[in-house]
Amino acid sequence: MSIERIAIIGLGLIGGSIGLALREMLPDIATTGWDADRDVRRKAAERGLVGKVSDSADDAVRDAQLVILCVPVGAMGAAAQSIAGALPPGAIVSDVGSSKHSVAQAIAKALPDAVVVPAHPVAGTEKSGPEAGFPELFRHRWCILTPEDATPAEAVEQVAAVWQGLGAKVEIMEPAHHDLVLAVTSHIPHLIAYTIVGTASDLEDVTRGEVIKYSAGGFRDFTRIAASDPTMWRDVFLTNRDAVLEVLGRFTEDLTALQRAIRNGDGDTLFELFERTRTIRRSIIEEGQDDARPDFGRSDH
Ligand SMILES: NC(=O)C1=CN([C@@H]2O[C@H](COP(=O)(O)OP(=O)(O)OC[C@H]3O[C@@H](n4cnc5c(N)ncnc54)[C@H](O)[C@@H]3O)[C@@H](O)[C@H]2O)C=CC1
Ligand SMILES: O=C(O)C(=O)Cc1ccc(O)cc1
C-alpha cells in the first residue's frame, strides 16, 4: 500500500520544500500542513506549500497516513506531543532532523505507540522560513533513514518510496553512526564557519569594513554557512553533543599539529595535507555532490 495522505508539521525551508516537491512530483498524494507560527501559516497558504494549511496540528494530522515533523530538532518533542491526540492509529511518524539519536528519543517519549521512521534529507541551504523552500531541493541528494531494528519493514519502505519519489537517494543507517558521520560532514564545518566569521568580526586591528571589502572566496563561503538559522544550529549542537565533541577533539589536535608545522617552517607537513584534501574535493565532484551543479544554489533561492 502506498501513502496517499501526508501531513507536514513545520512549514519552513524543509517542510515547505517537501510540500512543494510532493505537489509537483507526487501530485496524487493529498497534503496538509501546520506551523506553530501564524505568520508562517499565512505565507505557506499564499505560496501553496501544501494542499491545505490547517488551523491546528490536530486538524492537519487527523486523516494522515504519514506525518513528517519539520521543526528545529529541539522542538521535535513538542511537535510530536502536539499531534498525540489526533494521530490516527497505524499512521507513520517521520521527521527531517539533522541529528537523529536524541530526536528519536524525544518522539518516542511523546508518541510511545507510534510507528516512527526517522529521516534526514542531506540537502538544504543557509536560508530558512516558508519563502525559502523549492521543489527540487532533494533531487539527487541523499536521504538517510534511521529506523529501529523493530520498526516494520513496510513502514520503512513506504517512507523510502516517498523520498525516492521526490528525487532523493535513500540509505539506511544506525542513528548513532548517522550522528557521528554528520558531525564530521556537516555539524563541525558549520561550527568552524561560525567561529571564523565571529573571529574576523572580533579582531581589534582589522575593521569590519575591511573584512567585508577584502573578503576573498574562502571567507565568503564561510559567511554563507555562518548565515544559517541560529535556532536550528543551536539545537543541532545541543542534541548531537557527544559526537560533535568527539570530532571536535580530533579536529583540535589536527589544528594544533598544523600550528606546530607553521611555527617550525615544516612545509612538507602542510603540503602533504593539502595534497590529500584536494583528492577528497575531487571525489565529491565526481560523485555529483557539489553545490555547483546547475539546479542547486540558484540565485532565486
Ligand atoms: N535548513 C537545512 O538546510 C536543513 C534542515 N534540516 C532539519 O529540518 C528541520 C527544519 O529546518 P528548516 O526547515 O531549515 O527550519 P525553518 O526555520 O525554515 O522551519 C522550521 C519551522 O518550524 C516551526 N516550528 C517550530 N516549532 C514548532 C512546533 N512545535 N510545532 C509546529 N511548528 C513549529 C517554525 O515556526 C518554522 O516555521 C530541522 O530539524 C533541521 O535540523 C534538515 C536538512 C537540511
Ligand atoms: O547549506 C549548506 O551548506 C548545508 O550544509 C545545508 C544542510 C544543513 C543541514 C543539514 O542537516 C543538511 C544540509
Side-chain angles (χ1 to χ4, degrees):
M1 187 197 71
S2 63
I3 301 281
E4 290 168 357
R5 293 179 302 281
I6 295 181
I8 300 171
I9 303 297
L11 295 168
L13 169 72
I14 301 298
S17 297
I18 294 173
L20 289 173
L22 285 169
R23 300 194 78 190
E24 189 175 300
M25 297 168 206
L26 299 173
D28 292 338
I29 296 181
T31 53
T32 52
W34 185 75
D35 193 288
D37 184 326
R38 178 198 298 259
D39 202 36
V40 173
R41 292 201 297 276
R42 183 179 54 75
K43 287 177 182 152
E46 276 169 16
R47 280 200 76 195
L49 297 183
V50 284
K52 179 174 187 288
V53 177
S54 304
D55 292 328
S56 69
D58 280 355
D59 279 350
V61 305
R62 211 175 294 286
D63 295 318
Q65 294 167 301
L66 169 63
V67 179
I68 310 178
L69 306 176
C70 302
V71 304
V73 284
M76 288 291 180
Q81 193 63 55
S82 74
I83 62 169
L87 188 70
I92 302 168
V93 176
S94 188
D95 75 287
V96 293
S98 301
S99 62
K100 302 278 30 124
H101 178 68
S102 83
V103 167
Q105 283 186 323
I107 296 175
K109 192 168 171 211
L111 301 168
D113 300 324
V115 176
V116 184
V117 181
H120 178 201
V122 188
T125 74
E126 72 283 10
K127 308 236 171 73
S128 58
E131 296 100 339
F134 56 103
E136 305 85 7
L137 178 61
F138 310 110
R139 195 178 287 164
H140 308 312
R141 311 313 296 254
W142 287 103
C143 181
I144 303 171
L145 306 186
T146 60
E148 296 293 324
D149 291 343
T151 307
E154 194 195 355
V156 178
E157 282 157 21
Q158 286 174 319
V159 173
V162 169
W163 281 106
Q164 282 157 351
L166 305 188
K169 305 175 283 183
V170 172
E171 188 121 309
I172 311 270
M173 230 183 246
E174 293 281 328
H177 188 63
H178 165 281
D179 288 355
L180 187 62
V181 172
L182 270 291
V184 182
T185 60
S186 177
H187 306 170
I188 295 296
H190 275 76
L191 197 69
I192 293 168
Y194 282 123
T195 311
I196 186 61
V197 176
T199 302
S201 77
D202 287 347
L203 285 175
E204 292 83 17
D205 297 334
V206 178
T207 67
R208 209 187 163 90
E210 283 172 315
V211 168
I212 293 166
K213 191 168 163 189
Y214 300 116
S215 68
F219 187 73
R220 284 183 79 88
D221 291 351
F222 279 126
T223 60
R224 183 189 72 76
I225 295 174
S228 300
D229 188 69
T231 303
M232 172 187 156
W233 284 98
R234 174 202 63 196
D235 287 3
V236 168
F237 291 114
L238 296 181
T239 57
N240 198 19
R241 180 174 174 265
D242 293 349
V244 164
L245 289 179
E246 187 176 330
V247 178
L248 197 55
R250 287 289 295 270
F251 176 78
T252 312
E253 283 174 24
D254 292 345
L255 195 61
T256 305
L258 282 189
Q259 196 177 15
R260 196 180 318 116
I262 293 169
R263 189 182 306 113
N264 294 344
D266 174 3
D268 288 350
T269 296
L270 298 174
F271 190 86
E272 274 160 30
L273 174 70
F274 300 163
E275 205 172 40
R276 195 152 51 85
T277 55
R278 184 183 246 192
T279 63
I280 294 181
R281 168 73 183 172
R282 287 182 180 150
S283 314
I284 291 173
I285 291 184
E286 276 161 24
E287 277 254 318
Q289 292 282 335
D290 65 310
D291 291 354
R293 73 189 205 284
D295 65 342
F296 191 89
R298 289 178 356 200
S299 57
D300 52 336
H301 300 307

